[in-house]
Amino acid sequence: MYRGDLISRITATSMFAAGSRDLNLTSFNSADKATNLQRARTKVLEASKAGAKLIVLPECFNSPYGTQFFPKYAEKLLPSPPSSDDSPSFHALSAVAKEANAFLIGGSIPEYSPETEKYYNTSLTFSPSGALIATHRKTHLFDIDIPGKIKFKESDVLSPGNKVTIVDIPEYGKVGIAICYDVRFPELAMIAARKGCFALIYPGAFNMTTGPLHWSLQARARAMDNQVYVALCSPARDMEATYHAWGHSLVADPNAEVLAEMDEKEGIAYVELNGEKIDDIRRGIPIYSQRRFDVYPDISEGKVKYEE
């Protein structure tokens, strides 16, 4: 199920990095894509020099977050690999993954598909050789309306992805990858955990209303339900932007304890992820052997899509 020392590194409020012995989170993004890509490269290399071997960036790390920005910043990813003109972010991520000699979960970027004429919120994962090894299009779109607080409708521009994304990280094991609002749907997490994932990773950008209410709660709930590590990686907060991210990138352990939580600013935290802790928690609270699939179904054995 998991192999080796499970360790990661999170560069605080905008990037998640996991490495041989720790976890790391950080933050950046502006209105200038080239600046964002260069900032991402700097932070990825900083994390890798500190020993990170699995590095994760935040949702929409290359652009501002907002329906008005998605079309302007969208890149063509298909056919793969795209040209550097069609997707400078793809090539920047591939190059820095190779330079860092690390696995890189590239947060997410806006994607445009000429074939479907649709826009997506898409996460790309690269190997240390710079090869693309996983793609996840945000499965659940952020459509909410809290009177007097916030109204946001991603579906005005974006279309949803249609699959569960699990990627095998050599020497470590499997991780489940999803994006932001996906964390509110426990089915994705249950399926990934029951298929052997040791960690669930969510680049995300909760806001100033839902962040204080549910950001940490959702991470701890998914960790508790599945007895795995959960990492949420947010952009840092920019009060001059049109969308104010909550920040607070964090990692919860299989016992639902928060191992590290950043504030709203950019920073770096280091957390060790240990596979033995998963085993210990599951031995102490053996929900995996206590489930009653004679009473209710195992959704991981049902009709699950792993391909678009």
Side-chain angles (χ1 to χ4, degrees), residues 33 37 61-62 75 87-94 109 124 126:
K33 183 184 289 187
L37 294 177
F61 81 92
N62 71 342
E75 301 183 7
S87 186
S89 299
F90 178 103
H91 288 274
L93 291 171
S94 174
I109 65 172
L124 303 172
F126 293 87

Side-chain angles (χ1 to χ4, degrees), residues 36-51:
N36 292 332
L37 294 177
Q38 181 57 43
R39 182 66 173 153
R41 177 181 177 275
T42 298
K43 286 299 181 180
V44 169
L45 294 179
E46 179 181 346
S48 70
K49 286 176 183 176

Side-chain angles (χ1 to χ4, degrees), residues 272-285:
E272 183 172 293
L273 306 186
N274 191 327
E276 291 182 1
K277 190 162 191 177
I278 298 176
D279 293 331
D280 290 343
I281 296 301
R282 291 180 179 180
R283 277 194 296 267
I285 308 175

Side-chain angles (χ1 to χ4, degrees), residues 193-266:
R194 293 179 195 175
K195 293 301 183 183
C197 291
F198 70 85
L200 310 174
I201 298 173
Y202 300 88
F206 274 36
N207 54 73
M208 298 295 288
T209 297
T210 61
L213 284 171
H214 299 146
W215 177 255
S216 178
L217 178 63
Q218 291 288 346
R220 295 183 65 217
R222 301 293 81 79
M224 180 190 70
D225 291 346
N226 301 289
Q227 297 173 317
V228 295
Y229 289 95
V230 173
L232 307 183
C233 183
S234 168
R237 191 180 309 160
D238 180 0
M239 295 307 293
E240 296 183 4
T242 57
Y243 183 90
H244 303 146
W246 171 239
H248 290 261
S249 297
L250 65 84
V251 180
D253 75 5
N255 206 31
E257 295 182 88
V258 175
L259 299 179
E261 181 174 2
M262 305 305 297
D263 57 19
E264 75 282 3
K265 305 181 200 64
E266 181 176 310

Side-chain angles (χ1 to χ4, degrees), residues 3-306:
R3 304 182 289 277
D5 286 333
L6 302 184
I7 303 177
S8 277
R9 194 158 236 170
I10 277 187
T11 301
T13 329
S14 225
M15 156 184 149
F16 171 81
S20 308
R21 291 240 172 232
D22 13 27
L23 245 165
N24 141 354
L25 302 169
T26 189
S27 75
F28 44 85
N29 67 347
S30 71
D32 184 75
K33 183 184 289 187
T35 298
N36 292 332
L37 294 177
Q38 181 57 43
R39 182 66 173 153
R41 177 181 177 275
T42 298
K43 286 299 181 180
V44 169
L45 294 179
E46 179 181 346
S48 70
K49 286 176 183 176
K53 293 299 182 184
L54 172 59
I55 302 174
V56 185
L57 302 176
E59 181 179 24
C60 289
F61 81 92
N62 71 342
S63 68
Y65 178 76
T67 54
Q68 71 272 42
F69 300 114
F70 295 143
K72 177 182 177 181
Y73 287 83
E75 301 183 7
K76 300 174 185 175
L77 300 175
L78 296 175
S80 186
S83 69
S84 56
D85 288 337
D86 283 341
S87 186
S89 299
F90 178 103
H91 288 274
L93 291 171
S94 174
V96 74
K98 186 173 183 179
E99 186 177 2
N101 191 32
F103 290 92
L104 177 60
I105 299 174
S108 77
I109 65 172
E111 175 196 358
Y112 175 67
S113 170
E115 183 178 342
T116 62
E117 298 185 341
K118 293 179 179 179
Y119 294 94
Y120 303 94
N121 188 347
T122 303
S123 179
L124 303 172
T125 299
F126 293 87
S127 74
S129 70
L132 179 68
I133 57 174
T135 300
H136 179 79
R137 288 170 170 168
K138 192 172 187 175
T139 308
H140 302 90
L141 298 182
F142 181 52
D143 287 2
I144 67 167
D145 187 356
I146 304 175
K149 298 287 186 178
I150 183 172
K151 182 177 182 178
F152 201 97
K153 196 173 182 182
E154 277 188 327
S155 64
D156 282 344
V157 175
L158 299 180
S159 295
N162 298 300
K163 71 180 179 75
V164 174
T165 300
I166 295 172
V167 58
D168 195 4
I169 305 296
E171 299 180 17
Y172 293 93
K174 297 177 181 178
V175 297
I177 300 172
I179 300 172
C180 199
Y181 200 57
D182 286 339
V183 75
R184 290 185 178 272
F185 299 85
E187 293 86 352
L188 286 182
M190 290 178 187
I191 291 166
R194 293 179 195 175
K195 293 301 183 183
C197 291
F198 70 85
L200 310 174
I201 298 173
Y202 300 88
F206 274 36
N207 54 73
M208 298 295 288
T209 297
T210 61
L213 284 171
H214 299 146
W215 177 255
S216 178
L217 178 63
Q218 291 288 346
R220 295 183 65 217
R222 301 293 81 79
M224 180 190 70
D225 291 346
N226 301 289
Q227 297 173 317
V228 295
Y229 289 95
V230 173
L232 307 183
C233 183
S234 168
R237 191 180 309 160
D238 180 0
M239 295 307 293
E240 296 183 4
T242 57
Y243 183 90
H244 303 146
W246 171 239
H248 290 261
S249 297
L250 65 84
V251 180
D253 75 5
N255 206 31
E257 295 182 88
V258 175
L259 299 179
E261 181 174 2
M262 305 305 297
D263 57 19
E264 75 282 3
K265 305 181 200 64
E266 181 176 310
I268 297 177
Y270 301 96
V271 179
E272 183 172 293
L273 306 186
N274 191 327
E276 291 182 1
K277 190 162 191 177
I278 298 176
D279 293 331
D280 290 343
I281 296 301
R282 291 180 179 180
R283 277 194 296 267
I285 308 175
I287 61 174
Y288 267 70
S289 63
Q290 295 171 334
R291 289 193 169 98
R292 293 290 307 279
F293 294 139
D294 59 324
V295 176
Y296 45 79
D298 179 355
I299 63 168
S300 70
E301 297 301 325
K303 184 179 179 182
V304 181
K305 289 183 66 177
Y306 297 102

